[in-house]
Amino acid sequence: MNKSDFKRIGDNIWEIPPDFKPGMRVPARMLSSPELFKHIDDKVIDQTTNVACLPGIKKYAFCMPDGHVGYGFPIGGVAAFSASDGIISPGGIGFDINCGMRLLRTNLTFKEVKPKMEELLDRLFSTIPSGVGSKGFMKLNREDFNSVMERGAEWCLEKGYATETDLIHIENGGRIDNARHQTVSEKSISRGINQMGTLGSGNHYLEVEIAAPENIYNKEIALQYGIDRDYQVLIAIHCGSRGFGHQIATDYLQVFGKCAKKYGLDVRDRELMSAPINSDEGKKYFSAMACAANAAFVNRQLIVFGTRKVFRSVFNKSDEELGIETIYDVAHNIAKFEKYTVDGKEETLLVHRKGATRSFGPGRSELPPKYRSVGQPVIVGGSMETGSALLCGTKIADEETFGSSLHGAGRTMSRIKAKRTTRGDTVKQRMKESGILVKTGYMPGLAEEAAFAYKNIDAVVEAVDALGISKKVARFYPILNIKG
Amino acid sequence: MGLTEIMVDLDGLEERKEISFELEDENLEGLFFNWLSEIIYYKDAECFLIKQCNVEISGDRNNRLKATLSGDIIDPERHALKADVKALTYYKYRIEKIGDNWQGEVVFDL
């Protein structure tokens, strides 16, 4: 199986029909520019066509332009399943449940930040825990953590770690419903309870970025999102549910492995194990996933709390003067119940987004009031050398891709190969020469995260813009980055 | 030790703490998966990294395990920490007997 098995049916759309592989129920669709398509790994195609075999799948199994090999679903995989007779699969959500991005705007400009860059870097690195064994700066008791699991960012508001404006600008208000703490194991709680407010490691980071005027592609929408001055300073945070979510995924993969026979589910890939959404196991996993998703919203919010504290201290300004506000917070490893029209009939589907971002267009009631006229912010993280992109959701995404778009640049190279190609200190020096300061607890990790290990973020963004599923709003370039 | 070495330089680890547990699964393949997953669990739950282990496998299907682990509590001041392991995956997961020994291939999510 390889790329030549796909038929190009649109400028940036390739399709394999369902009769291609035994068991396929719908076509597989790769969304990609011709140039990106040439470099897609055959394993990604195999994974996407495996997803097309899952029971209850509707319309297509998608892979976004940043698609690359994952566990079960490809990363960049999107699939929607009938809520009445479809399945739920941890492989379609990921180990890092609700890994996502938070983007914040500030009233600061580069001119104000430049003289304090070293101090800001050191203070952020010492305040926001990262790396192996890192613990959050606050101790949560079990009652707190139950509340974190079930109420998500609302718990942060109650405790003074969030503003109301923060919550309005997080997907689902920072709380996924039907999260019951009884559906998660004691093991997962033990792994996660001390990790709230920590970044993790690998490709997780906190980055300070600049919005230069020449990189604002849609001034009107950028303004609506809060980007309102030249060389504005922004903050991007990329992390997820930490050990808590990872353990939940591990636990339920094993539960689903044991019940596959009971439900007559063919397991061609153990990472694609699933259960009927309406089964006891399926309902419990959704609830546990929701608990992890809520914890991830809390995790990012606590990092925001710590970040605001650092900025107040470094710049000797109040919160009001700094204006550090959430533009939006997106989940890119999650499953959500959403309504879509399939064959002329509106249905509730469980949309799995694995390394994919929701991309709701204008008019959606789920969006914050000030974004309803323009569409949802879609925050796309690139590598630490290349910064991020901000797009807006569209009606085309609502109609064509279950309201979904890409999430990042996508890896093109394994971590081992990246470390064999360069050294962390070389990357750090190169970044410094480009005006980017980086601090990490694990220097070889910088080699793993070098720009050449990722697809070109501008190429993947152009691909979704051309497809119309998200439209370019702005491009941001990093000046500071901290990672574990 | 391979798993630990992904996360920390082994040279800096001391034997300051001991953890014991028992595991059981349907077969050796499942048991080995649980064993590695348990080590990842202790890394987060107790900030514990394993230096030495004593493991006894028993059962008709080699499906029971008794382990005593000695290791260290994660300390960034003493340890050269590396990548964090999120989970063991089933991707390419296999173990097989070759002669008198067992050999396996595992992929961790970092």
Side-chain angles (χ1 to χ4, degrees):
Chain A
M1 171 184 322
N2 57 48
K3 289 180 271 292
S4 62
D5 296 313
F6 276 87
K7 187 177 158 193
R8 190 174 181 184
I9 62 162
D11 282 344
N12 285 0
I13 308 175
W14 276 261
E15 187 170 294
I16 271 189
D19 60 3
F20 173 76
K21 183 191 242 182
M24 276 178 75
R25 298 164 194 259
V26 296
R29 276 198 173 178
M30 309 297 289
L31 306 182
S32 183
S33 68
E35 185 55 35
L36 288 168
F37 189 72
K38 278 187 219 164
H39 302 286
I40 290 177
D41 193 308
D42 287 344
K43 183 68 185 167
V44 172
I45 297 165
D46 189 37
Q47 290 186 330
T48 310
T49 49
N50 284 344
V51 171
C53 300
L54 291 169
I57 190 168
K58 294 292 184 182
K59 290 174 89 170
Y60 308 103
F62 287 105
C63 185
M64 294 292 145
D66 56 336
H68 53 286
V69 177
Y71 308 118
F73 275 52
I75 296 169
V78 174
F81 300 88
S82 161
S84 56
D85 61 5
I87 57 89
I88 183 169
S89 176
I93 291 156
F95 282 101
D96 196 357
I97 298 168
N98 193 5
C99 184
M101 293 280 293
R102 171 78 66 104
L103 184 66
L104 302 135
R105 48 99 51 220
T106 78
N107 288 339
L108 297 169
T109 62
F110 179 55
K111 195 172 162 190
E112 293 167 278
V113 169
K114 192 176 175 191
K116 293 191 177 258
M117 270 173 60
E118 293 271 3
E119 183 188 354
L120 185 59
L121 180 77
D122 288 341
R123 292 288 306 279
L124 284 169
F125 189 77
S126 63
T127 302
I128 311 298
S130 62
V132 183
S134 52
K135 290 186 184 177
F137 51 82
M138 65 196 54
K139 256 195 123 35
L140 300 186
N141 60 33
R142 183 54 191 268
E143 196 185 325
D144 283 327
F145 201 64
N146 284 352
S147 197
V148 162
M149 288 190 264
E150 297 188 344
R151 299 173 56 220
E154 287 177 12
W155 175 84
C156 292
L157 181 66
E158 181 187 292
K159 297 290 181 182
Y161 301 128
T163 65
E164 283 190 19
T165 310
D166 283 329
L167 266 63
I168 290 168
H169 295 91
I170 302 174
E171 267 189 39
N172 291 78
R175 173 186 174 166
I176 309 286
D177 289 334
N178 299 316
R180 292 174 291 120
H181 72 268
Q182 297 89 343
T183 56
V184 308
S185 65
E186 286 303 313
K187 247 187 179 157
S188 57
I189 292 168
S190 299
R191 269 186 84 175
I193 195 168
N194 293 322
Q195 293 188 335
M196 291 296 102
T198 67
L199 268 181
S201 69
N203 65 354
H204 292 160
Y205 59 81
L206 183 154
E207 189 163 271
V208 178
E209 302 173 332
I210 303 295
E214 63 269 25
N215 298 321
I216 308 297
Y217 309 123
N218 188 317
K219 288 196 168 96
E220 186 194 324
I221 295 179
L223 194 61
Q224 198 73 6
Y225 286 166
I227 297 164
D228 56 11
R229 58 203 72 193
D230 290 346
Y231 304 101
Q232 186 170 5
V233 169
L234 301 149
I235 303 160
I237 298 165
H238 176 221
C239 61
S241 50
R242 307 289 287 109
F244 180 54
H246 310 160
Q247 189 64 41
I248 286 172
T250 299
D251 290 341
Y252 276 90
L253 270 173
Q254 296 192 294
V255 166
F256 285 7
K258 290 184 169 116
C259 71
K261 238 187 208 168
K262 180 165 76 167
Y263 297 116
L265 292 168
D266 163 35
V267 181
R268 60 187 67 202
D269 175 352
R270 282 193 283 190
E271 289 289 337
L272 264 188
M273 282 186 276
S274 60
I277 292 167
N278 286 322
S279 65
D280 185 55
E281 295 90 344
K283 284 180 188 167
K284 282 180 176 160
Y285 172 61
F286 181 87
S287 167
M289 183 216 71
C291 287
N294 291 341
F297 287 133
V298 167
N299 192 33
R300 289 197 285 278
Q301 185 61 44
L302 291 176
I303 291 171
V304 170
F305 177 78
T307 303
R308 283 177 172 143
K309 192 170 145 187
V310 168
F311 272 73
R312 281 198 301 272
S313 171
V314 169
F315 295 100
N316 196 26
K317 287 179 188 265
S318 66
D319 282 333
E320 200 183 331
E321 287 168 321
L322 288 167
I324 298 178
E325 291 171 3
T326 298
I327 290 178
Y328 211 52
D329 183 308
V330 295
H332 56 229
N333 274 4
I334 203 155
K336 288 192 181 176
F337 286 105
E338 294 168 359
K339 286 187 161 70
Y340 292 95
T341 300
V342 180
D343 298 329
K345 204 173 100 180
E346 188 177 75
E347 276 192 63
T348 299
L349 304 177
L350 185 60
V351 182
H352 290 56
R353 296 185 181 102
K354 161 92 170 276
T357 310
R358 199 183 72 176
S359 184
F360 280 178
R364 296 291 299 240
S365 60
E366 296 93 338
L367 300 182
K370 74 174 182 177
Y371 296 162
R372 282 180 200 156
S373 60
V374 297
Q376 175 195 317
V378 177
I379 307 157
V380 178
S383 78
M384 61 184 178
E385 295 185 73
T386 55
S388 59
L390 180 62
L391 296 85
C392 68
T394 65
K395 283 194 189 300
I396 293 177
D398 292 340
E399 288 157 9
E400 302 290 326
T401 59
F402 300 117
S404 306
S405 189
L406 83 176
H407 86 303
R411 285 197 79 92
T412 58
M413 185 185 292
S414 72
R415 292 179 180 281
I416 289 173
K417 191 172 177 187
K419 279 193 291 197
R420 285 188 190 136
T421 307
T422 191
R423 290 168 51 95
D425 50 6
T426 305
V427 174
K428 184 172 177 173
Q429 182 58 29
R430 183 171 69 234
M431 287 174 72
K432 190 174 179 186
E433 287 161 9
S434 304
I436 311 166
L437 300 183
V438 63
K439 196 153 184 176
T440 179
Y442 176 51
M443 194 61 79
L446 296 188
E448 292 174 8
E449 293 299 312
F452 61 71
Y454 285 87
K455 297 185 192 194
N456 181 315
I457 183 177
D458 296 302
V460 294
V461 164
E462 287 295 338
V464 296
D465 187 271
L467 280 160
I469 61 176
S470 302
K471 300 301 282 180
K472 295 189 307 184
V473 172
R475 182 81 164 78
F476 310 130
Y477 287 88
I479 56 169
L480 286 187
N481 188 296
I482 65 165
K483 50 197 317 101
Chain B
M1 297 309 114
L3 169 53
T4 305
E5 203 166 12
I6 296 171
M7 296 187 280
V8 68
D9 266 336
L10 295 178
D11 291 340
L13 284 184
E14 296 172 17
E15 292 181 55
R16 293 189 175 197
K17 181 173 172 163
E18 209 169 82
I19 289 176
S20 296
F21 56 81
E22 295 181 25
L23 297 171
E24 187 171 339
D25 206 278
E26 288 175 12
N27 50 41
L28 183 63
E29 189 191 58
L31 189 68
F32 187 59
F33 192 96
N34 286 342
W35 157 248
L36 292 176
S37 297
E38 200 78 355
I39 294 171
I40 296 167
Y41 161 74
Y42 279 112
K43 176 260 301 174
D44 283 337
E46 300 199 18
C47 294
F48 176 82
L49 289 174
I50 176 176
K51 175 134 177 142
Q52 295 279 3
C53 64
N54 184 8
V55 180
E56 288 173 25
I57 310 273
S58 62
D60 296 338
R61 285 162 283 140
N62 287 325
N63 61 325
R64 285 194 215 103
L65 171 159
K66 261 191 201 174
T68 302
L69 282 52
S70 60
D72 212 341
I73 301 300
I74 294 170
D75 182 352
E77 301 292 314
R78 291 189 292 116
H79 300 137
L81 296 167
K82 298 177 180 177
D84 197 7
V85 174
K86 288 179 187 160
L88 173 61
T89 75
Y90 282 112
Y91 185 67
K92 294 186 180 180
Y93 178 76
R94 67 168 181 88
I95 64 164
E96 58 183 325
K97 194 160 186 192
I98 299 179
D100 290 336
N101 297 310
W102 287 86
Q103 187 173 293
E105 182 176 357
V106 300
V107 175
F108 297 105
D109 189 14
L110 299 185

